[in-house]
Amino acid sequence: MSSSSLTTLNQRIAAKNSTPYLQNPNIKPQKFKWRSTIFSASIRGTSAPSFTCSTHRSISLPFRIRNTSGFNSPKASSNDAQFTNEFREPSFVEFITSERVKVVAMLALALALCNADRVVMSVAIVPLSISHGWRQSFAGVVQSSFLWGYLISPIAGGTLVDYHGGKVVMAWGVALWSLATFFTPYAAETSLLALLAMRMLLGIAEGVALPCMNNMIARWFPQSERSRAVGLAMAGFQLGSAIGLALSPILMSQAGIYGPFVIFGLSGFLWVLVWVSATSSSPDRCPQISLYLLSYIRNTTSVPSLLKNGPKTKQIIPPFRRLLSKLPTWSLIVSNAMHSWGFFVILSWMPIYFKMIYHVDLRQAAWFSAVPWSMMAVVGYFAGVLSDMMIQRGTSVTLTRKIMQSIGFIGPGLALIGLTMAKNPFIASAWLTLAVGLKAFSHCGFLVNLQEIAPQYSGVLHGMSNTAGTAAAIVGTVGAGFFVELTGSFKGFLLLTSFLYFSAALFWNVYSTGERVDFDETA
Protein backbone atom coordinates (compact mmCIF):
# COMPACT_ATOMS: atom_id res chain seq x y z
CA MET A 1 0.00 0.00 0.00
CA SER A 2 1.47 3.38 -0.93
CA SER A 3 1.97 6.19 1.58
CA SER A 4 -0.53 8.34 -0.33
CA SER A 5 -3.17 5.62 0.00
CA LEU A 6 -2.60 5.44 3.76
CA THR A 7 -2.83 9.24 4.00
CA THR A 8 -6.13 9.21 2.11
CA LEU A 9 -7.41 6.41 4.34
CA ASN A 10 -6.52 8.33 7.51
CA GLN A 11 -8.20 11.48 6.20
CA ARG A 12 -11.41 9.58 5.43
CA ILE A 13 -11.34 7.91 8.84
CA ALA A 14 -10.89 11.27 10.57
CA ALA A 15 -13.99 12.53 8.74
CA LYS A 16 -16.01 9.58 10.08
CA ASN A 17 -15.42 10.05 13.81
CA SER A 18 -19.16 9.75 14.43
CA THR A 19 -19.36 6.20 13.04
CA PRO A 20 -19.80 3.28 15.46
CA TYR A 21 -16.37 1.90 14.48
CA LEU A 22 -14.54 4.79 16.14
CA GLN A 23 -15.71 4.39 19.74
CA ASN A 24 -12.68 6.28 21.11
CA PRO A 25 -10.71 8.71 18.88
CA ASN A 26 -7.75 8.52 21.30
CA ILE A 27 -7.41 4.75 21.13
CA LYS A 28 -4.00 3.41 20.18
CA PRO A 29 -3.48 1.75 16.81
CA GLN A 30 -3.97 -1.99 16.75
CA LYS A 31 -2.02 -4.28 14.46
CA PHE A 32 -3.83 -7.06 12.67
CA LYS A 33 -1.49 -9.64 11.14
CA TRP A 34 -2.38 -11.65 8.08
CA ARG A 35 -0.36 -14.75 7.35
CA SER A 36 -0.48 -14.57 3.57
CA THR A 37 -1.75 -11.18 2.39
CA ILE A 38 -1.83 -7.47 3.04
CA PHE A 39 -5.05 -5.54 2.53
CA SER A 40 -6.08 -2.01 1.71
CA ALA A 41 -9.24 -0.61 3.24
CA SER A 42 -11.92 1.84 2.29
CA ILE A 43 -14.89 3.03 4.31
CA ARG A 44 -18.30 3.57 2.76
CA GLY A 45 -20.65 5.47 5.09
CA THR A 46 -21.28 3.38 8.22
CA SER A 47 -20.66 -0.01 6.62
CA ALA A 48 -17.71 -2.14 7.59
CA PRO A 49 -14.31 -1.67 5.89
CA SER A 50 -13.72 -3.60 2.68
CA PHE A 51 -10.38 -5.20 1.96
CA THR A 52 -8.33 -5.74 -1.18
CA CYS A 53 -5.44 -8.22 -0.96
CA SER A 54 -1.95 -7.60 -2.33
CA THR A 55 1.39 -8.67 -0.82
CA HIS A 56 2.63 -10.45 2.33
CA ARG A 57 2.92 -7.84 5.10
CA SER A 58 1.13 -6.53 8.19
CA ILE A 59 -0.03 -2.97 8.87
CA SER A 60 -1.42 -0.94 11.76
CA LEU A 61 -4.87 0.58 11.53
CA PRO A 62 -5.57 3.68 13.66
CA PHE A 63 -8.81 2.27 15.09
CA ARG A 64 -10.38 -0.87 16.57
CA ILE A 65 -13.25 -2.58 14.81
CA ARG A 66 -16.08 -2.60 17.30
CA ASN A 67 -19.78 -2.42 16.58
CA THR A 68 -19.76 -4.09 13.17
CA SER A 69 -22.78 -5.59 11.53
CA GLY A 70 -20.61 -8.07 9.64
CA PHE A 71 -18.10 -7.60 6.87
CA ASN A 72 -20.48 -8.68 4.14
CA SER A 73 -22.87 -5.72 4.04
CA PRO A 74 -25.79 -5.38 1.58
CA LYS A 75 -23.81 -2.68 -0.31
CA ALA A 76 -20.62 -4.71 -0.50
CA SER A 77 -18.51 -4.47 -3.62
CA SER A 78 -16.67 -7.20 -5.48
CA ASN A 79 -13.74 -6.63 -3.14
CA ASP A 80 -16.01 -7.47 -0.21
CA ALA A 81 -17.12 -10.63 -1.96
CA GLN A 82 -13.51 -11.55 -2.58
CA PHE A 83 -12.77 -11.11 1.10
CA THR A 84 -15.79 -13.16 2.19
CA ASN A 85 -14.99 -15.96 -0.25
CA GLU A 86 -11.57 -16.36 1.34
CA PHE A 87 -13.16 -17.67 4.55
CA ARG A 88 -12.36 -21.33 4.96
CA GLU A 89 -12.80 -24.00 7.60
CA PRO A 90 -9.84 -23.72 10.03
CA SER A 91 -7.45 -26.65 10.10
CA PHE A 92 -7.20 -28.81 13.22
CA VAL A 93 -3.99 -27.08 14.31
CA GLU A 94 -5.55 -23.63 13.78
CA PHE A 95 -8.69 -24.72 15.64
CA ILE A 96 -6.93 -26.25 18.63
CA THR A 97 -4.55 -23.26 19.06
CA SER A 98 -7.11 -20.51 18.50
CA GLU A 99 -8.39 -18.04 21.08
CA ARG A 100 -11.80 -19.70 21.19
CA VAL A 101 -10.30 -23.03 22.24
CA LYS A 102 -8.80 -21.20 25.24
CA VAL A 103 -12.34 -20.14 26.09
CA VAL A 104 -13.77 -23.64 25.73
CA ALA A 105 -10.84 -25.10 27.71
CA MET A 106 -11.62 -22.75 30.60
CA LEU A 107 -15.27 -23.76 30.36
CA ALA A 108 -14.23 -27.41 30.50
CA LEU A 109 -12.20 -26.75 33.66
CA ALA A 110 -15.15 -24.95 35.25
CA LEU A 111 -17.49 -27.84 34.45
CA ALA A 112 -14.91 -30.30 35.79
CA LEU A 113 -14.87 -28.42 39.09
CA CYS A 114 -18.67 -28.23 38.97
CA ASN A 115 -19.07 -31.98 38.81
CA ALA A 116 -16.16 -32.81 41.11
CA ASP A 117 -17.68 -30.62 43.83
CA ARG A 118 -21.06 -32.30 43.56
CA VAL A 119 -19.82 -35.93 43.46
CA VAL A 120 -17.67 -35.67 46.57
CA MET A 121 -20.81 -36.25 48.60
CA SER A 122 -21.51 -39.44 46.62
CA VAL A 123 -18.37 -40.91 48.20
CA ALA A 124 -18.56 -39.14 51.56
CA ILE A 125 -22.16 -40.25 52.07
CA VAL A 126 -21.08 -43.80 52.95
CA PRO A 127 -18.93 -42.95 56.01
CA LEU A 128 -21.33 -40.13 56.93
CA SER A 129 -24.26 -42.57 56.93
CA ILE A 130 -22.34 -44.97 59.13
CA SER A 131 -21.24 -42.30 61.60
CA HIS A 132 -24.68 -40.69 61.85
CA GLY A 133 -26.77 -43.84 61.56
CA TRP A 134 -28.64 -42.68 58.43
CA ARG A 135 -30.87 -45.13 56.56
CA GLN A 136 -30.65 -45.51 52.77
CA SER A 137 -33.77 -43.40 52.25
CA PHE A 138 -32.40 -40.55 54.38
CA ALA A 139 -29.03 -40.78 52.65
CA GLY A 140 -30.96 -40.16 49.42
CA VAL A 141 -32.49 -37.04 50.98
CA VAL A 142 -29.04 -35.72 51.92
CA GLN A 143 -27.76 -36.45 48.42
CA SER A 144 -30.74 -34.72 46.83
CA SER A 145 -30.35 -31.54 48.92
CA PHE A 146 -27.94 -30.32 46.26
CA LEU A 147 -30.76 -30.68 43.73
CA TRP A 148 -33.13 -28.56 45.81
CA GLY A 149 -30.91 -25.58 45.14
CA TYR A 150 -30.25 -26.68 41.58
CA LEU A 151 -34.01 -26.60 41.00
CA ILE A 152 -34.21 -22.91 41.91
CA SER A 153 -31.50 -21.23 39.87
CA PRO A 154 -31.45 -22.43 36.22
CA ILE A 155 -34.30 -20.27 34.90
CA ALA A 156 -33.16 -17.12 36.73
CA GLY A 157 -29.55 -17.92 35.91
CA GLY A 158 -30.36 -18.53 32.26
CA THR A 159 -32.17 -15.21 32.07
CA LEU A 160 -29.16 -13.44 33.62
CA VAL A 161 -26.89 -15.15 31.10
CA ASP A 162 -28.99 -13.96 28.15
CA TYR A 163 -28.97 -10.42 29.59
CA HIS A 164 -25.40 -10.05 30.95
CA GLY A 165 -23.45 -12.72 29.04
CA GLY A 166 -21.74 -15.91 30.14
CA LYS A 167 -18.44 -14.56 31.46
CA VAL A 168 -19.76 -12.49 34.37
CA VAL A 169 -22.43 -14.98 35.46
CA MET A 170 -20.01 -17.92 35.29
CA ALA A 171 -17.46 -16.10 37.44
CA TRP A 172 -20.03 -15.45 40.16
CA GLY A 173 -21.35 -19.01 39.90
CA VAL A 174 -17.94 -20.66 40.34
CA ALA A 175 -17.05 -18.32 43.21
CA LEU A 176 -20.27 -19.15 45.09
CA TRP A 177 -20.18 -22.90 44.57
CA SER A 178 -16.50 -23.04 45.56
CA LEU A 179 -17.39 -21.12 48.73
CA ALA A 180 -20.18 -23.62 49.48
CA THR A 181 -17.87 -26.57 48.86
CA PHE A 182 -15.12 -25.13 51.06
CA PHE A 183 -17.47 -24.52 54.01
CA THR A 184 -19.31 -27.85 53.79
CA PRO A 185 -17.05 -29.47 56.45
CA TYR A 186 -17.73 -26.67 58.91
CA ALA A 187 -21.46 -26.83 58.21
CA ALA A 188 -21.49 -30.60 58.79
CA GLU A 189 -19.80 -30.11 62.17
CA THR A 190 -22.39 -27.49 63.11
CA SER A 191 -25.71 -29.19 62.34
CA LEU A 192 -27.58 -31.24 59.78
CA LEU A 193 -29.63 -28.17 58.82
CA ALA A 194 -26.44 -26.21 58.09
CA LEU A 195 -25.13 -29.08 55.96
CA LEU A 196 -28.35 -29.19 53.91
CA ALA A 197 -28.30 -25.40 53.50
CA MET A 198 -24.71 -25.46 52.23
CA ARG A 199 -25.53 -28.21 49.75
CA MET A 200 -28.49 -26.15 48.55
CA LEU A 201 -26.21 -23.14 48.02
CA LEU A 202 -23.92 -25.40 45.98
CA GLY A 203 -26.88 -26.37 43.79
CA ILE A 204 -28.06 -22.77 43.37
CA ALA A 205 -24.63 -21.63 42.20
CA GLU A 206 -24.03 -24.61 39.89
CA GLY A 207 -27.39 -24.07 38.18
CA VAL A 208 -25.85 -21.34 36.00
CA ALA A 209 -22.92 -23.41 34.71
CA LEU A 210 -24.47 -25.07 31.67
CA PRO A 211 -26.45 -22.00 30.48
CA CYS A 212 -23.18 -20.02 30.68
CA MET A 213 -21.40 -22.69 28.67
CA ASN A 214 -24.12 -22.59 26.00
CA ASN A 215 -24.00 -18.80 25.83
CA MET A 216 -20.23 -18.62 25.43
CA ILE A 217 -20.07 -21.38 22.81
CA ALA A 218 -22.91 -19.84 20.80
CA ARG A 219 -20.95 -16.58 20.59
CA TRP A 220 -17.54 -18.08 19.86
CA PHE A 221 -18.36 -20.99 17.51
CA PRO A 222 -20.35 -21.31 14.25
CA GLN A 223 -22.94 -24.05 13.91
CA SER A 224 -20.59 -26.33 11.97
CA GLU A 225 -18.13 -26.38 14.91
CA ARG A 226 -20.52 -26.13 17.83
CA SER A 227 -20.92 -29.86 18.51
CA ARG A 228 -17.22 -30.44 19.00
CA ALA A 229 -16.98 -27.33 21.18
CA VAL A 230 -19.78 -28.67 23.38
CA GLY A 231 -18.01 -32.05 23.29
CA LEU A 232 -14.80 -30.47 24.60
CA ALA A 233 -16.60 -28.56 27.35
CA MET A 234 -18.69 -31.55 28.42
CA ALA A 235 -15.57 -33.74 28.40
CA GLY A 236 -14.42 -31.58 31.30
CA PHE A 237 -17.80 -32.08 32.93
CA GLN A 238 -17.49 -35.88 32.77
CA LEU A 239 -13.82 -35.90 33.77
CA GLY A 240 -14.88 -33.92 36.82
CA SER A 241 -17.04 -36.88 37.83
CA ALA A 242 -14.14 -39.28 37.32
CA ILE A 243 -11.70 -37.02 39.18
CA GLY A 244 -14.08 -36.49 42.07
CA LEU A 245 -14.95 -40.18 42.43
CA ALA A 246 -11.34 -41.35 42.07
CA LEU A 247 -9.56 -38.75 44.21
CA SER A 248 -12.13 -38.37 47.00
CA PRO A 249 -11.38 -41.73 48.70
CA ILE A 250 -7.63 -41.04 48.49
CA LEU A 251 -7.97 -37.53 49.90
CA MET A 252 -10.34 -38.79 52.59
CA SER A 253 -7.81 -41.41 53.68
CA GLN A 254 -5.09 -38.74 53.96
CA ALA A 255 -6.99 -35.68 55.20
CA GLY A 256 -10.21 -37.05 56.69
CA ILE A 257 -13.75 -37.15 55.35
CA TYR A 258 -13.81 -33.46 54.50
CA GLY A 259 -10.39 -33.17 52.82
CA PRO A 260 -11.78 -33.27 49.25
CA PHE A 261 -14.22 -30.45 49.97
CA VAL A 262 -11.42 -28.10 51.00
CA ILE A 263 -9.14 -29.03 48.07
CA PHE A 264 -11.82 -28.64 45.39
CA GLY A 265 -13.15 -25.43 46.94
CA LEU A 266 -9.73 -23.75 46.83
CA SER A 267 -9.27 -24.89 43.22
CA GLY A 268 -12.45 -23.04 42.26
CA PHE A 269 -11.17 -19.74 43.65
CA LEU A 270 -7.99 -20.12 41.57
CA TRP A 271 -10.08 -20.77 38.44
CA VAL A 272 -12.06 -17.54 38.96
CA LEU A 273 -8.87 -15.47 39.01
CA VAL A 274 -7.69 -16.94 35.70
CA TRP A 275 -11.13 -16.71 34.06
CA VAL A 276 -11.64 -13.04 34.87
CA SER A 277 -8.17 -12.00 33.71
CA ALA A 278 -7.62 -14.22 30.65
CA THR A 279 -10.95 -14.58 28.78
CA SER A 280 -13.45 -12.35 26.98
CA SER A 281 -17.23 -12.63 26.85
CA SER A 282 -17.32 -12.37 23.04
CA PRO A 283 -14.83 -12.29 20.14
CA ASP A 284 -15.05 -8.54 19.53
CA ARG A 285 -14.01 -7.88 23.13
CA CYS A 286 -10.91 -10.06 22.90
CA PRO A 287 -7.68 -8.03 22.46
CA GLN A 288 -5.64 -11.09 21.38
CA ILE A 289 -7.92 -12.31 18.60
CA SER A 290 -6.70 -12.06 15.00
CA LEU A 291 -8.68 -10.06 12.45
CA TYR A 292 -9.19 -13.14 10.32
CA LEU A 293 -10.63 -15.20 13.20
CA LEU A 294 -12.85 -12.31 14.28
CA SER A 295 -14.15 -11.98 10.70
CA TYR A 296 -14.67 -15.74 10.40
CA ILE A 297 -16.69 -15.92 13.62
CA ARG A 298 -18.78 -12.84 12.84
CA ASN A 299 -19.68 -14.14 9.37
CA THR A 300 -20.46 -17.73 10.38
CA THR A 301 -22.25 -17.52 13.74
CA SER A 302 -25.93 -16.71 14.08
CA VAL A 303 -25.59 -15.06 17.49
CA PRO A 304 -24.47 -11.43 17.64
CA SER A 305 -21.56 -10.60 19.90
CA LEU A 306 -22.12 -8.61 23.03
CA LEU A 307 -21.14 -5.00 22.52
CA LYS A 308 -19.42 -3.19 25.32
CA ASN A 309 -21.68 -0.19 25.11
CA GLY A 310 -24.44 -1.64 22.99
CA PRO A 311 -27.95 -2.66 23.93
CA LYS A 312 -28.64 -5.92 25.71
CA THR A 313 -31.67 -8.07 25.11
CA LYS A 314 -34.86 -6.10 24.58
CA GLN A 315 -36.62 -7.50 27.61
CA ILE A 316 -35.42 -8.85 30.92
CA ILE A 317 -38.42 -11.15 31.46
CA PRO A 318 -38.45 -13.84 28.73
CA PRO A 319 -41.66 -14.76 26.87
CA PHE A 320 -42.29 -17.96 28.83
CA ARG A 321 -45.77 -18.53 27.40
CA ARG A 322 -44.56 -18.36 23.81
CA LEU A 323 -41.57 -20.57 24.59
CA LEU A 324 -43.79 -23.21 26.17
CA SER A 325 -46.32 -23.06 23.32
CA LYS A 326 -43.99 -24.90 20.91
CA LEU A 327 -43.47 -28.67 20.84
CA PRO A 328 -39.72 -28.38 20.07
CA THR A 329 -39.39 -26.69 23.47
CA TRP A 330 -41.10 -29.66 25.10
CA SER A 331 -38.83 -32.08 23.27
CA LEU A 332 -35.91 -30.27 24.94
CA ILE A 333 -37.61 -30.38 28.33
CA VAL A 334 -38.41 -34.10 28.12
CA SER A 335 -34.90 -34.94 26.90
CA ASN A 336 -33.19 -32.90 29.60
CA ALA A 337 -35.43 -34.48 32.24
CA MET A 338 -34.53 -37.99 31.13
CA HIS A 339 -30.85 -37.17 30.73
CA SER A 340 -30.73 -35.76 34.27
CA TRP A 341 -32.69 -38.70 35.71
CA GLY A 342 -30.19 -41.20 34.36
CA PHE A 343 -27.19 -38.98 35.08
CA PHE A 344 -27.89 -38.34 38.76
CA VAL A 345 -29.11 -41.87 39.53
CA ILE A 346 -25.85 -43.27 38.15
CA LEU A 347 -23.70 -40.51 39.68
CA SER A 348 -25.23 -40.71 43.16
CA TRP A 349 -25.87 -44.42 43.59
CA MET A 350 -23.29 -46.40 41.64
CA PRO A 351 -20.65 -46.44 44.42
CA ILE A 352 -23.32 -47.82 46.78
CA TYR A 353 -24.57 -50.16 44.01
CA PHE A 354 -21.16 -51.80 43.62
CA LYS A 355 -20.77 -52.00 47.39
CA MET A 356 -24.19 -53.60 47.92
CA ILE A 357 -24.40 -55.91 44.89
CA TYR A 358 -20.75 -56.95 44.47
CA HIS A 359 -19.46 -56.30 48.01
CA VAL A 360 -16.47 -54.20 46.97
CA ASP A 361 -14.98 -51.69 49.42
CA LEU A 362 -15.51 -47.95 49.08
CA ARG A 363 -12.27 -47.17 47.24
CA GLN A 364 -12.82 -49.92 44.67
CA ALA A 365 -16.46 -48.90 44.28
CA ALA A 366 -15.38 -45.33 43.53
CA TRP A 367 -12.93 -46.52 40.89
CA PHE A 368 -15.54 -48.76 39.25
CA SER A 369 -17.86 -45.76 39.15
CA ALA A 370 -15.18 -43.35 37.86
CA VAL A 371 -14.11 -45.32 34.76
CA PRO A 372 -17.43 -44.80 32.87
CA TRP A 373 -17.21 -41.01 33.22
CA SER A 374 -13.75 -41.01 31.66
CA MET A 375 -15.18 -42.94 28.72
CA MET A 376 -18.03 -40.42 28.43
CA ALA A 377 -15.50 -37.59 28.16
CA VAL A 378 -13.68 -39.29 25.27
CA VAL A 379 -16.82 -40.44 23.45
CA GLY A 380 -18.40 -36.99 23.84
CA TYR A 381 -15.66 -35.27 21.88
CA PHE A 382 -15.68 -37.80 19.03
CA ALA A 383 -19.48 -37.65 18.93
CA GLY A 384 -19.15 -33.88 18.48
CA VAL A 385 -16.67 -34.30 15.63
CA LEU A 386 -18.96 -36.86 13.96
CA SER A 387 -21.96 -34.57 14.35
CA ASP A 388 -20.12 -31.60 12.79
CA MET A 389 -18.89 -33.79 9.92
CA MET A 390 -22.43 -34.95 9.16
CA ILE A 391 -23.66 -31.35 8.92
CA GLN A 392 -20.67 -30.24 6.84
CA ARG A 393 -21.30 -33.11 4.39
CA GLY A 394 -24.90 -32.17 3.80
CA THR A 395 -26.94 -34.05 6.42
CA SER A 396 -29.68 -31.79 7.70
CA VAL A 397 -29.29 -30.36 11.18
CA THR A 398 -32.63 -31.87 12.22
CA LEU A 399 -31.69 -35.40 11.14
CA THR A 400 -28.26 -35.08 12.74
CA ARG A 401 -29.74 -34.09 16.08
CA LYS A 402 -32.29 -36.92 15.93
CA ILE A 403 -29.59 -39.51 15.22
CA MET A 404 -27.30 -38.24 17.98
CA GLN A 405 -30.10 -38.11 20.54
CA SER A 406 -31.35 -41.60 19.61
CA ILE A 407 -27.91 -43.08 20.20
CA GLY A 408 -27.66 -41.10 23.44
CA PHE A 409 -30.90 -42.57 24.83
CA ILE A 410 -31.52 -45.96 23.23
CA GLY A 411 -27.89 -47.02 23.78
CA PRO A 412 -27.89 -46.42 27.56
CA GLY A 413 -31.33 -48.01 27.86
CA LEU A 414 -30.04 -51.26 26.35
CA ALA A 415 -26.81 -51.13 28.36
CA LEU A 416 -28.66 -50.76 31.66
CA ILE A 417 -30.60 -53.92 30.86
CA GLY A 418 -27.24 -55.67 30.39
CA LEU A 419 -26.04 -54.19 33.71
CA THR A 420 -28.86 -55.90 35.60
CA MET A 421 -27.67 -59.27 34.24
CA ALA A 422 -23.95 -58.84 35.07
CA LYS A 423 -22.55 -61.55 37.34
CA ASN A 424 -19.39 -59.80 38.58
CA PRO A 425 -18.22 -56.21 39.09
CA PHE A 426 -15.95 -56.21 36.03
CA ILE A 427 -18.76 -57.13 33.61
CA ALA A 428 -21.05 -54.69 35.42
CA SER A 429 -18.46 -51.93 35.05
CA ALA A 430 -18.20 -52.71 31.31
CA TRP A 431 -21.97 -52.36 30.86
CA LEU A 432 -22.00 -49.21 32.96
CA THR A 433 -19.13 -47.77 30.91
CA LEU A 434 -21.06 -48.47 27.71
CA ALA A 435 -24.23 -46.86 29.11
CA VAL A 436 -22.47 -43.71 30.31
CA GLY A 437 -20.29 -43.45 27.20
CA LEU A 438 -23.26 -43.59 24.84
CA LYS A 439 -25.05 -40.95 26.92
CA ALA A 440 -22.47 -38.50 25.57
CA PHE A 441 -24.14 -38.59 22.15
CA SER A 442 -27.11 -36.72 23.63
CA HIS A 443 -24.84 -33.69 24.12
CA CYS A 444 -24.89 -33.41 20.31
CA GLY A 445 -28.66 -33.75 20.41
CA PHE A 446 -30.70 -31.70 22.85
CA LEU A 447 -27.77 -29.80 24.40
CA VAL A 448 -26.65 -28.23 21.09
CA ASN A 449 -30.23 -27.91 19.87
CA LEU A 450 -30.90 -25.24 22.51
CA GLN A 451 -28.75 -22.81 20.53
CA GLU A 452 -30.37 -23.68 17.21
CA ILE A 453 -34.10 -23.29 17.78
CA ALA A 454 -33.76 -19.96 19.66
CA PRO A 455 -30.22 -18.56 20.01
CA GLN A 456 -31.51 -15.35 21.58
CA TYR A 457 -33.21 -17.40 24.34
CA SER A 458 -30.69 -20.26 24.66
CA GLY A 459 -29.93 -19.35 28.28
CA VAL A 460 -33.51 -19.28 29.51
CA LEU A 461 -34.42 -22.36 27.42
CA HIS A 462 -31.56 -24.19 29.05
CA GLY A 463 -32.76 -22.98 32.42
CA MET A 464 -36.32 -24.15 31.80
CA SER A 465 -35.26 -27.58 30.58
CA ASN A 466 -32.67 -27.81 33.36
CA THR A 467 -35.34 -27.12 35.97
CA ALA A 468 -37.39 -30.00 34.60
CA GLY A 469 -34.26 -32.12 34.58
CA THR A 470 -33.50 -31.23 38.18
CA ALA A 471 -37.03 -32.14 39.27
CA ALA A 472 -36.63 -35.49 37.51
CA ALA A 473 -33.22 -35.97 39.13
CA ILE A 474 -34.69 -35.33 42.60
CA VAL A 475 -37.42 -37.90 41.99
CA GLY A 476 -34.91 -40.39 40.62
CA THR A 477 -32.30 -39.90 43.36
CA VAL A 478 -34.75 -40.01 46.26
CA GLY A 479 -36.90 -42.66 44.56
CA ALA A 480 -33.92 -44.96 44.11
CA GLY A 481 -33.24 -44.81 47.85
CA PHE A 482 -36.82 -45.69 48.79
CA PHE A 483 -36.97 -48.36 46.07
CA VAL A 484 -33.83 -50.06 47.40
CA GLU A 485 -35.07 -49.83 50.97
CA LEU A 486 -38.39 -51.47 50.03
CA THR A 487 -37.14 -54.14 47.61
CA GLY A 488 -33.49 -54.55 48.58
CA SER A 489 -32.40 -54.41 44.91
CA PHE A 490 -31.51 -51.87 42.23
CA LYS A 491 -32.50 -54.07 39.29
CA GLY A 492 -36.13 -53.06 39.04
CA PHE A 493 -35.21 -49.37 39.23
CA LEU A 494 -32.63 -49.77 36.45
CA LEU A 495 -35.22 -51.49 34.24
CA LEU A 496 -37.64 -48.61 34.87
CA THR A 497 -34.89 -46.18 33.85
CA SER A 498 -34.37 -48.13 30.60
CA PHE A 499 -38.06 -47.88 29.74
CA LEU A 500 -38.00 -44.12 30.35
CA TYR A 501 -34.96 -43.78 28.07
CA PHE A 502 -36.81 -45.49 25.20
CA SER A 503 -39.92 -43.34 25.73
CA ALA A 504 -37.92 -40.09 25.75
CA ALA A 505 -36.11 -41.07 22.54
CA LEU A 506 -39.47 -41.60 20.81
CA PHE A 507 -40.77 -38.20 21.96
CA TRP A 508 -37.60 -36.48 20.74
CA ASN A 509 -37.73 -38.03 17.29
CA VAL A 510 -41.37 -37.02 16.80
CA TYR A 511 -41.25 -33.39 17.98
CA SER A 512 -37.69 -32.02 17.78
CA THR A 513 -36.26 -29.85 15.00
CA GLY A 514 -32.87 -28.43 14.08
CA GLU A 515 -34.35 -25.32 12.47
CA ARG A 516 -34.88 -21.97 14.13
CA VAL A 517 -38.35 -21.72 15.72
CA ASP A 518 -40.41 -18.53 15.51
CA PHE A 519 -41.36 -17.59 19.08
CA ASP A 520 -42.86 -14.26 18.07
CA GLU A 521 -46.29 -15.80 17.60
CA THR A 522 -48.10 -18.39 19.70
CA ALA A 523 -48.84 -21.82 18.25
Side-chain angles (χ1 to χ4, degrees), residues 203-217:
I204 291 173
E206 289 196 357
V208 306
L210 292 180
C212 287
M213 181 271 290
N214 252 312
N215 177 276
M216 294 291 286
I217 286 178

Side-chain angles (χ1 to χ4, degrees), residues 332-479:
L332 291 171
I333 291 173
V334 170
S335 295
N336 201 329
M338 188 60 241
H339 183 77
S340 297
W341 173 292
F343 180 87
F344 281 100
V345 166
I346 293 173
L347 191 68
S348 301
W349 287 103
M350 283 303 102
I352 300 175
Y353 176 82
F354 278 94
K355 187 176 185 300
M356 287 182 57
I357 304 300
Y358 302 109
H359 309 291
V360 297
D361 63 37
L362 179 60
R363 184 175 297 185
Q364 288 179 316
W367 274 104
F368 277 119
S369 303
V371 170
W373 301 109
S374 301
M375 178 61 69
M376 190 176 190
V378 175
V379 173
Y381 175 72
F382 286 103
V385 173
L386 175 61
S387 177
D388 287 341
M389 287 176 58
M390 291 173 64
I391 294 174
Q392 291 164 9
R393 294 180 179 181
T395 306
S396 71
V397 176
T398 297
L399 180 58
T400 300
R401 302 303 174 221
K402 289 179 186 290
I403 291 173
M404 295 294 110
Q405 192 65 51
S406 296
I407 297 173
F409 275 1
I410 296 175
L414 294 173
L416 288 180
I417 295 174
L419 176 61
T420 63
M421 302 177 183
K423 302 300 183 183
N424 62 66
F426 297 99
I427 296 177
S429 182
W431 279 113
L432 183 62
T433 299
L434 181 62
V436 175
L438 291 176
K439 275 176 66 68
F441 278 84
S442 64
H443 298 157
C444 304
F446 83 91
L447 196 56
V448 182
N449 190 240
L450 288 158
Q451 304 160 2
E452 293 165 341
I453 69 170
Q456 74 277 32
Y457 297 122
S458 63
V460 69
L461 271 178
H462 202 147
M464 292 165 61
S465 62
N466 230 24
T467 297
T470 304
I474 293 173
V475 173
T477 304
V478 177

Side-chain angles (χ1 to χ4, degrees), residues 27 35 107 114 154 186 220 251 267 302 353 363 368 467:
I27 197 165
R35 297 181 179 177
L107 290 171
C114 174
Y186 306 100
W220 278 88
L251 294 173
S267 300
S302 60
Y353 176 82
R363 184 175 297 185
F368 277 119
T467 297

Side-chain angles (χ1 to χ4, degrees), residues 61-324:
L61 297 180
F63 59 92
R64 289 177 183 264
I65 296 177
R66 283 295 183 191
N67 186 17
T68 65
S69 59
F71 291 100
N72 191 18
S73 63
K75 299 181 180 180
S77 67
S78 59
N79 288 337
D80 293 313
Q82 179 182 354
F83 179 83
T84 303
N85 289 336
E86 290 184 4
F87 287 135
R88 56 175 173 78
E89 188 77 15
S91 67
F92 176 77
V93 174
E94 290 172 329
F95 175 82
I96 208 69
T97 58
S98 65
E99 192 68 25
R100 56 214 172 118
V101 171
K102 181 179 78 175
V103 172
V104 83
M106 288 298 296
L107 290 171
L109 285 174
L111 295 181
L113 287 169
C114 174
N115 234 14
D117 288 351
R118 72 174 64 167
V119 303
V120 171
M121 187 58 73
S122 299
V123 179
I125 195 67
V126 177
L128 282 174
S129 297
I130 294 173
S131 62
H132 291 83
W134 295 339
R135 297 181 302 171
Q136 293 285 0
S137 57
F138 189 76
V141 172
V142 174
Q143 293 249 61
S144 69
S145 60
F146 159 82
L147 295 170
W148 305 346
Y150 202 68
L151 182 67
I152 298 172
S153 62
I155 294 179
T159 303
L160 288 173
V161 168
D162 288 337
Y163 190 71
H164 293 290
K167 179 181 176 178
V168 174
V169 180
M170 180 67 99
W172 278 103
V174 177
L176 284 176
W177 85 56
S178 299
L179 188 70
T181 301
F182 183 83
F183 282 108
T184 294
Y186 306 100
E189 293 296 329
T190 302
S191 67
L192 177 61
L193 183 61
L195 174 62
L196 296 178
M198 202 56 60
R199 294 293 292 174
M200 281 188 64
L201 176 61
L202 176 71
I204 291 173
E206 289 196 357
V208 306
L210 292 180
C212 287
M213 181 271 290
N214 252 312
N215 177 276
M216 294 291 286
I217 286 178
R219 296 185 184 280
W220 278 88
F221 292 86
Q223 188 178 64
S224 61
E225 296 175 358
R226 211 166 280 165
S227 292
R228 80 185 78 170
V230 170
L232 284 170
M234 295 304 294
F237 193 68
Q238 314 314 332
L239 286 175
S241 300
I243 291 169
L245 290 168
L247 290 185
S248 291
I250 299 173
L251 294 173
M252 286 166 56
S253 66
Q254 299 296 320
I257 295 177
Y258 303 115
F261 295 96
V262 175
I263 299 283
F264 292 139
L266 292 175
S267 300
F269 297 136
L270 178 61
W271 181 93
V272 172
L273 293 177
V274 178
W275 173 258
V276 171
S277 61
T279 62
S280 302
S281 58
S282 60
D284 59 359
R285 288 188 176 185
C286 180
Q288 294 86 18
I289 196 169
S290 67
L291 179 60
Y292 178 83
L293 180 56
L294 175 61
S295 306
Y296 173 75
I297 294 173
R298 294 297 299 271
N299 281 270
T300 54
T301 184
S302 60
V303 181
S305 297
L306 285 175
L307 303 176
K308 186 172 183 180
N309 299 313
K312 297 180 175 63
T313 54
K314 294 182 180 179
Q315 53 186 1
I316 299 178
I317 301 177
F320 291 109
R321 180 176 297 180
R322 294 200 299 271
L323 291 172
L324 291 172

